[in-house]
Amino acid sequence: MDDELNALRRARMRWNAPLSEPHAELLLDRMALGGDRLADLGCGWGELLLRALERVPDLRGTGIDTDPEVLERGRAAARARGLASRVEFTEADAATWDGPAGRAFCIGASHAFGPAKAALDRLARVVPSGRVLYGDGFWSAPPSAAAREIFGEDVLTLPGLLEAVDAAGWRVLHLSTADQLEWDGFESASRLAWQEWLLAHPADPRAPGVRDWLDRRLREYVRDYRGVLGFTYLVLGR
Ligand SMILES: C[S@@+](CC[C@H](N)C(=O)[O-])C[C@H]1O[C@@H](n2cnc3c(N)ncnc32)[C@H](O)[C@@H]1O
């Protein structure tokens, strides 16, 4: 797809994770955000990072991602909300960012480090003493071969993920999982901007490609992983 359509694709998403507004507020409460540095590894456009900065006036933020487009969206949002002087959006590999920070988010980005244990070990180095909000997928039901093919062999069960947390030396201060409404809302929002574009531009030469992509993604969701892939939010302390 061309740059215009690629830029539009995630426009209707609040953040790039299955997360409701009230659930996000609860997680920010549990992070006990202080007046130090908050790092967001694999930040996307950093909406949760910006909300954390809005809550705590002394807090400074660093968002790290490898995708220049999402980082630019984050910078524009920070400017629009008067937060630009307290946050930097840095194009870098999160796996090489050392910190230190007193608080960190790593939501839907553990694959940047390898398996969950590698991510949790690295987060322990970034946050030597403090809290991390770690969001990751897990199998909530036995996956089909098709689901494994989409998400790879590193996905754990929730007990397996908690074993990795324990082995990396973290204590679990909070555990919650995305519910079905959050998942359906997330999946629908991930397709909504293109769905609306398609309805408005049925004769565009790019329309057949967009329709195929949307239909494939919806089919995969309902057939291969709806109710099978879970997503957990862990507030971890050390
Ligand atoms: C599912 S998105 C989640 C984004 C964000 N945490 C959120 O919740 O909205 C995963 C993000 O990880 C980023 N990513 C993937 N590999 C990365 C790496 N090696 N270093 C930094 N970011 C990476 C992607 O560009 C993407 O923005």
Side-chain angles (χ1 to χ4, degrees):
M1 283 305 151
D2 59 24
D3 288 351
E4 181 205 345
L5 275 177
N6 276 333
L8 179 67
R9 184 160 70 84
R10 287 174 290 210
R12 299 285 255 142
M13 302 176 82
R14 187 189 301 118
W15 30 58
N16 198 349
L19 182 63
S20 66
E21 299 264 2
H23 197 169
E25 291 300 316
L26 170 67
L27 296 173
L28 291 179
D29 286 348
R30 294 294 180 269
M31 282 295 282
L33 297 164
D36 52 9
R37 179 161 296 275
L38 169 63
D40 189 348
L41 304 177
C43 61
W45 53 92
E47 176 59 29
L48 198 62
L49 174 64
L50 297 180
R51 290 189 187 205
L53 297 183
E54 283 168 336
R55 276 186 168 217
V56 184
D58 294 339
L59 193 59
R60 303 185 70 79
T62 302
I64 294 127
D65 204 287
T66 44
D67 180 343
E69 262 178 40
V70 295
L71 290 166
E72 199 40 54
R73 176 172 167 181
R75 289 184 195 109
R79 282 193 298 274
R81 285 147 74 172
L83 296 167
S85 64
R86 290 200 284 132
V87 63
E88 57 203 35
F89 284 94
T90 304
E91 186 178 338
D93 180 359
T96 63
W97 196 80
D98 271 334
R103 298 285 184 274
F105 297 158
C106 179
I107 301 174
S110 66
H111 56 280
F113 305 86
K117 174 67 166 54
L120 291 158
D121 282 342
R122 185 73 193 188
L123 287 165
R125 192 159 141 187
V126 170
V127 180
S129 171
R131 294 186 187 196
V132 163
L133 171 56
Y134 181 79
D136 209 353
F138 67 93
W139 296 130
S140 56
S144 63
R148 272 211 212 87
E149 175 79 22
I150 296 170
F151 295 103
E153 297 299 328
D154 284 340
V155 182
L156 301 171
T157 61
L158 194 49
L161 189 53
L162 292 181
E163 277 173 29
V165 165
D166 194 43
W170 291 100
R171 300 295 302 166
V172 178
L173 303 175
H174 169 88
L175 179 159
S176 49
T177 60
D179 66 18
Q180 199 59 67
L181 186 57
E182 288 174 297
W183 262 110
D184 290 344
F186 166 60
E187 289 284 337
S188 297
S190 74
R191 293 186 302 273
L192 184 56
W194 274 15
Q195 291 284 15
E196 290 173 335
W197 178 90
L198 186 61
L199 290 176
H201 302 87
D204 190 286
R206 296 165 293 180
V210 169
R211 187 181 301 109
D212 284 351
W213 185 90
L214 289 168
D215 290 351
R216 193 174 61 250
R217 291 296 293 264
L218 179 58
R219 215 169 30 243
E220 279 177 354
Y221 177 49
V222 298
R223 186 190 58 199
D224 297 332
Y225 64 93
R226 185 175 186 272
V228 172
L229 186 71
F231 199 88
T232 188
Y233 296 95
L234 305 173
V235 175
L236 306 174
R238 60 186 302 111

